[in-house]
Each structure stands twice: as C-alpha cells, then as structure tokens.
Amino acid sequence: MNFADLKSPPPSPLVLLNDQQWDNRGVRLYIKRDDLLAPHPNDPFCGNKWRKLQYNLLHAKKEGYEKLLTFGGAYSNHLAAVASAGNHMGFATIGIVRGEEVENPTLALTRQNGMELHFVDRTTYRTKKEPAYLRQLEDRFGRVYILPEGGTNSAAYDGCAALAKEIITQCPEQPTHLAVACGTGGTLTGLLSGLSEENPPQVMGVSALKGNFMTSEVEQQLTTLGLNRTNWEIHPNFHHGGYARQSPELMVFIQSFYQQHGILLEPVYTGKLFYALYALLDQGYFPSGSRVVGVHTGGMQSFGCSI
C-alpha cells in the first residue's frame, strides 16, 4: 500500500440486505460495507477509521512528520487503526491509553503493529486537549503529528463527508435514513457535512456509550464547522451496558445476523448499530417505503474476527 492508494481508494460495496423481516414492513435495508475498505481483510485500518485517517495521513506526509501520537481507551478501535496505518504508511506510532495497564486483543494488535503504548491515569487523560499537556508530550516524544481521541478533527470530517457522497452516488434510490454507530460523534458529523441540504436523509447515530451526552457532542462539532443541520438524531438506549460492554441479547443477535447474512458484526459498535435498527423496525419507527442505509464501520479485531 502507498500514498497513491490512500488518496484514491476504490468505493466500498453497498449491498441490499435480503431479509424477510424488513420486507414484511415494506422497508429496504442497505449495508455500506466500509469494513471492506482496508489494506487487507480484517485490518483495523478500515471503515470509518480509514475515512478519518485518510486526509490526516496525507497531511502528515506532506508536512514531513515521521511520528503519529494519539489517545484512546483500552478497547479503542482508533488506537488499533492508527497503529496499523502507521505500519502500512511508514510512520512510528505512539498511543496514550486511559487507565491502568491491561492486556486485550485490541491492545495486543496495536503492539503487533508497532505502536508504543503509554498508560496514564484518568485525571491526566482528561487533560489530553490542553495545550500545556500537548507541549509536554512533544517535549517527551519529539515532533509528532497529534491525532485527537477517536481521530475526530477537520481532516476526519472531510473523509466522512466523502463517505456520505459515495453512499448517495451508489444507492439506486434516495435513502430516507442513514445510520452509523457513534463513539465520539465525528463520523456522524462528517456524514452530515457531506450531504446536500436539499431533501437530505435523516442521519441516525446509535451511541455505543452509556449516557445521553452524544447529542451535545455532535451539536458542538456542527457549531465548530459552522453548520446548521436538523436532519439528525442520537439514539442513546442501545449501549447494552456501556462502552465495550455487551448483553446476552446483543451476542445472540450478532450470531443470528452472521448465520443469516454471512456478515460479521462486533459488539462494541456495529453490533449495537444493527441491533438498534432491527429493534426500531419492530417498533414501527421506519414508515413503509423507507430506504435505510446502515454503515458497517469495521472494527472486527475487537471480536477476534470470528463467531
């Protein structure tokens, strides 16, 4: 993989799900297989992480950076993606990890891809946006290209805006709803920025975290971009216990979905997204005739890529 591949990747597939449950309601569900946008199958540098990192990596290369530094929790798909991206593109990578030192498959993969991990207490971690702390990190690690937690910044919005345009171009009919899992809200904000203001689809965010704060996060991001959008909402009640937590019902759904459709989901983000879409379908949330696009954002390394 090289920077030319990064600049102009092929579009990921958009597929119509063949599912009687949706047919019975007169609603069509498309899946945007952004999990397949990756250098290799099941690579953590995929999906919305590719979209968020794409222009950041190109900018870092242009400005002559050799190191990337970023932040995340112990189960952060973002950390794994940055580590993989750095490995592919020739950057050294450093991860500042929230909380006590632990081991899990996601962190093991970050180390396998060469990321240098540094665990910090939660009080210190909360200062991750403060200029004084960022200067300390630069003094310690040298000249580094700093990526925020989750990768959400102006360059990331541009990548996710391109995803929205790609979906509209690929879909054989105008979607009425566009749905994505949310961790920081950056992917949803980027999607909104890429949609036309004239008759846009309703953009749905399914929060993977406990607590009804994602709405204010997205509002703040839209304000930063100078955008006034009303065609969006956050669904906060499908977190199944909180970030990186899961319920028996969620795991049964993920297994059933794979057995029926041959598409792997994972319990941190995408499993919760599609669980929510099916639950909302049962509740009559989608009117007959709706065309729903759910974005599969990848992250399979957190699930071991198996059922």
Side-chain angles (χ1 to χ4, degrees):
M1 181 182 179
N2 55 42
F3 282 92
D5 298 326
L6 185 65
K7 188 173 183 179
S8 301
S12 60
L14 180 74
V15 298
L16 176 63
L17 201 69
N18 181 16
D19 192 311
Q20 195 64 46
Q21 192 171 340
W22 290 81
D23 293 343
N24 289 343
R25 297 272 185 169
V27 180
R28 287 186 285 279
L29 174 63
Y30 292 88
I31 300 184
K32 177 60 170 169
R33 296 293 308 274
D34 237 30
D35 56 311
L36 301 180
L37 179 60
H40 305 293
N42 297 322
D43 194 303
F45 179 36
C46 72
N48 70 326
K49 304 308 177 189
W50 176 295
R51 305 285 182 177
K52 286 183 170 185
L53 291 173
Q54 178 185 11
Y55 294 113
N56 276 293
L57 295 172
L58 291 168
H59 180 68
K61 176 68 173 178
K62 180 180 178 181
E63 295 299 317
Y65 285 90
E66 297 180 352
K67 298 178 187 176
L68 310 174
L69 183 146
T70 194
F71 308 85
Y75 292 89
S76 170
N77 287 341
H78 171 69
L79 286 179
V82 172
S84 176
N87 189 31
H88 286 299
M89 308 310 297
F91 293 102
T93 54
I94 300 164
I96 307 300
V97 188
R98 180 183 63 245
E100 64 280 356
E101 186 164 353
V102 296
E103 275 300 330
N104 61 48
T106 297
L107 292 180
L109 188 56
T110 65
R111 285 196 170 100
Q112 181 182 326
N113 278 315
M115 179 172 276
E116 180 184 328
L117 297 179
H118 297 270
F119 293 80
V120 300
D121 63 80
R122 293 172 187 273
T123 300
T124 301
Y125 190 84
R126 282 194 288 271
T127 67
K128 61 186 178 294
K129 296 181 181 179
E130 296 181 7
Y133 181 58
L134 296 177
R135 285 195 297 270
Q136 290 178 21
L137 293 174
E138 290 178 323
D139 290 342
R140 180 179 179 183
F141 297 111
R143 187 172 185 261
V144 290
Y145 185 91
I146 296 177
L147 290 157
E149 182 181 41
T152 296
N153 59 14
S154 59
Y157 296 139
D158 291 341
C160 295
L163 168 60
K165 292 180 173 68
E166 189 173 297
I167 290 171
I168 297 301
T169 299
Q170 286 180 300
C171 200
E173 50 192 346
Q174 173 70 17
T176 57
H177 300 79
L178 182 55
V180 66
C182 292
T184 63
T187 301
L188 187 144
T189 298
L191 289 173
L192 285 167
S193 72
L195 294 171
S196 169
E197 294 186 62
E198 183 177 347
N199 193 31
Q202 180 78 1
V203 182
M204 306 165 55
V206 174
S207 179
L209 290 76
K210 184 184 291 187
N212 193 9
F213 60 87
M214 194 63 66
T215 296
S216 61
E217 288 286 327
V218 174
E219 287 174 343
Q220 184 176 5
Q221 292 171 22
L222 289 170
T223 298
T224 299
L225 291 177
L227 296 177
N228 180 21
R229 298 286 190 270
T230 59
N231 59 310
W232 64 279
E233 62 185 322
I234 299 293
H235 293 267
N237 298 323
F238 296 101
H239 54 74
H240 295 269
Y243 180 69
R245 295 183 180 274
Q246 54 199 249
S247 67
E249 294 81 8
L250 177 62
M251 300 311 295
V252 168
F253 170 80
I254 288 172
Q255 185 174 34
S256 174
F257 190 87
Y258 176 69
Q259 290 172 345
Q260 185 174 359
H261 301 295
I263 298 174
L264 285 168
L265 306 173
E266 45 73 41
V268 180
Y269 290 106
T270 56
K272 293 177 181 179
L273 168 66
F274 285 96
Y275 180 100
L277 292 179
Y278 274 76
L280 291 169
L281 178 73
D282 286 342
Q283 295 167 18
Y285 176 88
F286 301 109
S288 178
S290 296
R291 290 88 59 191
V292 183
V293 177
V295 182
H296 190 322
T297 48
M300 294 310 305
Q301 80 286 338
S302 65
F303 199 30
C305 305
S306 63
I307 290 290

